[in-house]
Amino acid sequence: MTERSVAVKLASAQAERYLEDLIEIASIPSISTLPEHATDVRRAAGWVCHRLSAIGFERVESLPTEKHPVAYGEWLHASGQPMVLIYGHYDVQPADPLDQWRSNPFEPSVQGDYLYGRGVSDMKSQLLAFLEALELTRQTGELAVNIKVLVEGEEEIGSPSLQSFCVNERDRLSCDLVLNTDGGMLAKDLPALVYGLRGLAYFELQLSGPDHDLHSGMFGGTVHNPGQVLCELMAGMHDSAGRVTLPGFYDQVRALTPEERADIALAPYSDEEWRRMTGVPELFGEEGFTTLERVGARPTLEVNGLWSGYTGEGPKTVLPASAMAKVSMRLVPEQDPDTVERQLRSYLEQNAPQTVRWDLKRLAGSPPVSMRRNSLAMQSAAKALQETFGRKPVFTLEGGSIPAVSILQSVLGVDTALVGFSLPDDNIHSPNERFYIPNLSRGVEAYIRFLNHISTLGEA
Ligand SMILES: [Zn+2]
């Protein structure tokens, strides 16, 4: 039996200890957004550093950033082998609303096959799984690859310090590939590999007409109402087929290949379930695409907020001086926020009437991310997941964005595999967050296999 298969055997034998360790780290309320928990956040960073030192990692440090520290450690003794940077986060979302929890969010409790507590699924179970995988591999032999570990404390607030941290620490973090452990599965026994995340371009549009609110009886019919103009402009941004009408909006959009469409169709999913989840009377979207394609592979434009005129109780016959909309686009490869901003501006130049002035502000922008499906990182992850769960992982595209993925990929210029074991119904960010306990030791196994495959497939 090879050392590596010993480690995998041991992984499943130690399930009870993993659970104890998970309960320990999940008991620390490391809520990154709340200043009163800053000490807990530092305590969680310290916990990770302590574990890394115990495994025999070197240069272990809690590195300061503008806000919360990054826990870092490395082991660089596999000469000639690839350098893997493992990314995770130790911070969690607030537990509110507390009265909807059936148990204390920071006293994790076992109920059946699940552990309940804030952060158990997102993502302290994954954090623990890769730490245990490193420890077990070290105990039964030597790590097959060189490893750097970066665990941040700001993921749940959008990773505001990560970009500058990575730029400043580029040398320390240099690597051949990234294993991002903040991923998930499609079902208990169905692993997934995300290979694309949508980007975002977010704007605020302000229209102004008269220089003060007017009496609608005295001036109505003679002055163009900014509220009406705003509605017409917003309505004109989609056509009747659900397509976005900004000039050139689809020019950069990469078309799905037949293989990708077949893969997306493999995910367990039904329109009826989607309808039930959202509570709408009927689904809506761009013609010619399935719901999952619309979510992951197609760009969208959404009104996030509309405001104009009088919104209090009872009538007020006002012709408002201004109107405002928050509008954002989810972007797919190869779109980018700058180009989309130009497209939105040219739509407004062509369509806004001379009767109002408009002002457009960009509030946020991040490019979409795509990960090469045939990279060493992705192939090693696919193999490790298949061996662990007995099923090929499904390649998926995700609708949201994970800043850390795009930051690490762009600053370090390397491939990423996004691997994790949380489930769609784990209630992450919600009351009664939970983690399916059997996937803790499977997670350890999968990470051990992943590191091993990086070494062996890397040689091929
Ligand atoms: Zn989260």
Side-chain angles (χ1 to χ4, degrees):
M1 202 186 274
T2 68
E3 279 161 353
R4 226 68 58 189
S5 60
V6 171
V8 170
K9 275 254 151 53
L10 278 172
S12 48
Q14 302 199 14
E16 217 159 291
R17 191 174 57 76
Y18 298 156
L19 185 59
E20 280 166 25
D21 288 353
L22 176 56
I23 290 173
E24 186 180 306
I25 177 70
S27 301
I28 305 176
S30 46
I31 305 167
S32 48
T33 195
L34 297 176
E36 62 266 36
H37 283 282
T39 318
D40 297 313
V41 170
R42 278 197 299 278
R43 197 148 60 90
W47 190 94
V48 174
C49 288
H50 180 79
R51 281 300 288 258
L52 285 171
S53 302
I55 303 169
F57 269 52
E58 292 155 357
R59 284 179 85 193
V60 175
E61 247 184 285
S62 187
L63 297 163
T65 73
E66 263 160 50
K67 211 173 179 90
H68 299 311
V70 165
Y72 178 86
E74 61 186 35
W75 189 91
L76 309 180
H77 301 290
S79 79
Q81 288 291 328
M83 180 82 73
V84 180
L85 177 71
I86 304 180
Y87 165 91
H89 67 87
Y90 62 76
D91 64 322
V92 300
Q93 287 271 324
D96 311 73
L98 281 175
D99 58 347
Q100 288 181 27
W101 282 79
R102 286 186 293 272
S103 54
N104 184 324
F106 294 107
E107 283 170 22
S109 73
V110 177
Q111 293 161 46
D113 278 340
Y114 288 91
L115 180 71
Y116 284 79
R118 172 54 85 229
V120 292
S121 176
D122 177 19
M123 59 151 273
K124 285 174 172 171
S125 46
Q126 272 102 283
L127 169 61
L128 191 79
F130 81 71
L131 289 171
E132 304 282 5
L134 296 175
E135 178 171 328
L136 207 48
T137 312
R138 291 270 290 141
Q139 280 170 0
T140 52
E142 248 352 328
L143 289 164
V145 292
N146 300 291
I147 291 171
K148 297 175 172 177
V149 171
L150 180 170
V151 186
E152 70 157 321
E154 299 182 2
E155 199 280 337
E156 300 295 0
I157 51 172
S159 303
S161 306
L162 192 62
Q163 171 86 23
S164 58
F165 177 83
C166 289
V167 170
N168 295 337
E169 298 285 348
R170 203 192 301 255
D171 290 340
R172 188 199 294 261
L173 302 178
S174 72
C175 59
D176 296 306
L177 58 106
V178 173
L179 169 65
N180 185 313
T181 57
D182 200 9
M185 300 181 51
L186 290 169
K188 277 174 190 165
D189 56 353
L190 183 57
L193 280 173
V194 173
Y195 69 100
L197 298 159
R198 289 197 294 191
L200 179 72
Y202 199 115
F203 302 92
E204 192 176 284
L205 173 63
Q206 184 89 37
L207 299 187
S208 47
D211 60 10
H212 58 282
D213 282 1
L214 300 174
H215 187 295
S216 70
M218 281 176 71
F219 295 97
T222 66
V223 168
H224 210 168
N225 186 319
Q228 180 194 336
V229 175
L230 184 72
C231 292
E232 286 168 359
L233 286 173
M234 296 312 302
M237 290 183 192
H238 285 93
D239 67 14
S240 60
R243 284 171 63 89
V244 176
T245 58
L246 306 189
F249 190 68
Y250 294 95
D251 289 358
Q252 281 84 24
V253 173
R254 190 177 63 78
L256 282 172
T257 65
E259 187 199 5
E260 285 180 291
R261 296 191 91 157
D263 284 345
I264 291 171
L266 287 176
Y269 159 85
S270 88
D271 270 353
E272 180 46 29
E273 172 66 14
W274 200 266
R275 199 193 59 74
R276 224 177 37 77
M277 235 160 57
T278 55
V280 293
E282 227 180 284
L283 296 180
F284 165 87
E286 186 186 359
E287 276 176 17
F289 296 93
T290 67
T291 298
L292 290 185
E293 288 170 353
R294 288 169 182 166
V295 168
R298 301 298 295 171
T300 58
L301 181 150
E302 298 293 339
V303 180
N304 302 110
L306 284 174
W307 174 87
S308 183
Y310 178 66
T311 55
E313 223 182 290
K316 181 172 190 282
T317 48
V318 62
L319 196 165
S322 64
M324 190 258 274
K326 308 256 186 193
V327 54
S328 67
M329 297 79 161
R330 294 283 176 176
L331 311 179
V332 298
E334 309 293 331
Q335 290 180 300
D336 73 90
D338 292 342
T339 310
V340 164
E341 178 173 348
R342 281 197 297 277
Q343 294 163 348
L344 177 57
R345 284 185 185 280
S346 80
Y347 170 87
L348 292 169
E349 279 154 14
Q350 288 166 27
N351 293 283
Q354 299 301 313
T355 48
V356 298
R357 298 167 206 90
W358 59 269
D359 181 50
L360 185 71
K361 271 197 199 77
R362 183 155 124 197
L363 302 186
S366 62
V369 180
S370 58
M371 295 163 244
R372 292 193 306 131
R373 288 169 55 155
N374 59 355
S375 70
L376 173 61
M378 205 69 103
Q379 292 304 313
S380 302
K383 200 161 184 246
L385 289 170
Q386 182 170 3
E387 287 164 358
T388 304
F389 292 93
R391 286 177 76 172
K392 269 199 172 132
V394 176
F395 281 94
T396 62
L397 293 165
E398 228 159 71
S401 15
I402 307 178
V405 174
S406 51
I407 291 170
L408 289 170
Q409 197 155 304
S410 64
V411 176
L412 304 175
V414 295
D415 289 308
T416 303
L418 183 54
V419 179
F421 307 97
S422 68
L423 296 173
D425 59 357
D426 273 352
N427 302 323
I428 68 168
H429 297 202
S430 301
N432 304 305
E433 179 176 348
R434 62 183 191 172
F435 183 75
Y436 180 61
I437 297 166
N439 279 357
L440 187 53
S441 44
R442 290 196 195 115
V444 180
E445 288 178 37
Y447 288 137
I448 292 172
R449 291 190 164 111
F450 171 84
L451 296 172
N452 191 29
H453 293 324
I454 289 290
S455 158
T456 52
L457 295 177
E459 280 163 7

CSV table of all heavy atoms in Angstrom, one decimal, residues 89 93 122 155-156 428-429, ligand 1:
chain,number,residue,atom,x,y,z
A,89,HIS,N,-11.1,30.8,3.6
A,89,HIS,CA,-11.4,32.0,4.5
A,89,HIS,C,-11.9,31.5,5.8
A,89,HIS,O,-12.6,30.4,5.9
A,89,HIS,CB,-12.3,33.0,3.8
A,89,HIS,CG,-13.7,32.5,3.6
A,89,HIS,ND1,-14.7,32.6,4.6
A,89,HIS,CD2,-14.3,32.0,2.5
A,89,HIS,CE1,-15.9,32.2,4.1
A,89,HIS,NE2,-15.7,31.8,2.8
A,93,GLN,N,-20.4,34.9,8.1
A,93,GLN,CA,-21.5,35.9,8.1
A,93,GLN,C,-22.1,36.1,9.5
A,93,GLN,O,-22.0,35.2,10.3
A,93,GLN,CB,-22.6,35.4,7.2
A,93,GLN,CG,-22.3,35.4,5.7
A,93,GLN,CD,-22.7,36.7,5.0
A,93,GLN,OE1,-23.7,37.3,5.4
A,93,GLN,NE2,-21.9,37.1,4.1
A,122,ASP,N,-19.9,27.2,5.2
A,122,ASP,CA,-19.2,28.3,4.5
A,122,ASP,C,-18.3,29.0,5.4
A,122,ASP,O,-18.6,30.0,6.1
A,122,ASP,CB,-20.3,29.2,4.0
A,122,ASP,CG,-19.8,30.5,3.3
A,122,ASP,OD1,-18.6,30.4,2.9
A,122,ASP,OD2,-20.5,31.5,3.1
A,155,GLU,N,-13.6,37.4,3.4
A,155,GLU,CA,-14.4,36.9,2.2
A,155,GLU,C,-15.8,37.3,2.3
A,155,GLU,O,-16.4,37.7,1.3
A,155,GLU,CB,-14.2,35.4,2.1
A,155,GLU,CG,-14.6,34.8,0.7
A,155,GLU,CD,-16.1,34.7,0.4
A,155,GLU,OE1,-16.9,34.6,1.4
A,155,GLU,OE2,-16.5,34.7,-0.7
A,156,GLU,N,-16.4,37.3,3.5
A,156,GLU,CA,-17.8,37.5,3.6
A,156,GLU,C,-18.1,39.0,3.5
A,156,GLU,O,-19.3,39.4,3.5
A,156,GLU,CB,-18.3,37.0,5.0
A,156,GLU,CG,-18.2,35.5,5.1
A,156,GLU,CD,-19.0,34.7,4.1
A,156,GLU,OE1,-19.7,35.3,3.3
A,156,GLU,OE2,-18.9,33.4,4.1
A,428,ILE,N,-26.4,28.4,3.8
A,428,ILE,CA,-25.3,29.3,4.0
A,428,ILE,C,-25.8,30.7,4.0
A,428,ILE,O,-26.8,31.0,3.2
A,428,ILE,CB,-24.1,29.0,3.1
A,428,ILE,CG1,-24.5,29.5,1.7
A,428,ILE,CG2,-23.6,27.6,3.1
A,428,ILE,CD1,-23.2,29.5,0.8
A,429,HIS,N,-25.3,31.5,4.8
A,429,HIS,CA,-25.7,32.9,5.0
A,429,HIS,C,-27.1,33.1,5.7
A,429,HIS,O,-27.6,34.2,5.8
A,429,HIS,CB,-25.7,33.7,3.7
A,429,HIS,CG,-24.3,33.9,3.1
A,429,HIS,ND1,-24.0,34.9,2.2
A,429,HIS,CD2,-23.2,33.1,3.2
A,429,HIS,CE1,-22.7,34.7,1.8
A,429,HIS,NE2,-22.2,33.7,2.4
B,1,ZN,ZN,-20.1,33.0,2.3
